Amino acid sequence: MSLHPTTATVIDLFAMHGSSEYGGENVTQEEHALQCAELAAADGAPATLVAAALLHDIGHLLHDLPADAPERGIDDLHEALGGRWLESRFVPAVTEPVRLHVAAKRYLCATEPAYEAALSEPSRVSLGLQGGPFTPDEVAEFEMNPFWRDALRLRRWDDTGKVDGLETRLVTEFADVLDACVLPEAE
Ligand code: FE
């Protein structure tokens, strides 16, 4: 099987940095990404959204901040970092939900009272750093993005994909999904 170089780079990033802790949760970055991708696939999501689920926290694999940055009051802005990295490599249906996945949390906190109450403690800590629940104006603006519903779906998998010891496929087994979503001009 010949992989697109971008897919090979993603596999390398997980191999090099995927074993780092997923900010205060009981899973590694790689386990979390794979659980999210499996949830997306099980939910019948298109390949672009399965890829987005796998890649949504790639920003965490691209910076050198400690995993406990939020507890130290630092927002690593991983959704923006990841979004920028993905933008030149993957189609917008992958990149946009990733870029919006933190905004999606702020949206859901504003629109579903039960959502914020159900967040994990690390998610609640980072919410404060990320600006808290959206204002009504921000809610309306979020709904203008063509990918806002995809971002909400991604967000729910993100919130669920934190189960200690769950069996998933390997990152390499999602190579065909990634290949299908790479921009033709990506290197
Ligand atoms: Fe996540």
Side-chain angles (χ1 to χ4, degrees), residues 43 49 96-98 100-109 111-112 115 134 142-143 147-160:
D43 207 19
L49 205 44
E96 283 299 287
V98 172
L100 293 171
H101 83 276
V102 170
K105 175 166 81 169
R106 300 179 61 198
Y107 175 94
L108 287 167
C109 286
T111 55
E112 285 182 20
Y115 178 83
F134 270 167
F142 183 78
E143 291 174 356
F147 294 99
W148 73 281
R149 288 179 196 277
D150 285 345
L152 295 189
R153 289 182 79 187
L154 171 54
R155 185 71 225 179
R156 303 212 191 254
W157 303 320
D158 189 7
D159 293 326
T160 324

Side-chain angles (χ1 to χ4, degrees), residues 169-184:
R169 280 171 279 179
L170 306 171
V171 175
T172 47
E173 291 175 277
F174 286 93
D176 53 342
V177 173
L178 294 172
D179 270 358
C181 304
V182 172
L183 284 172

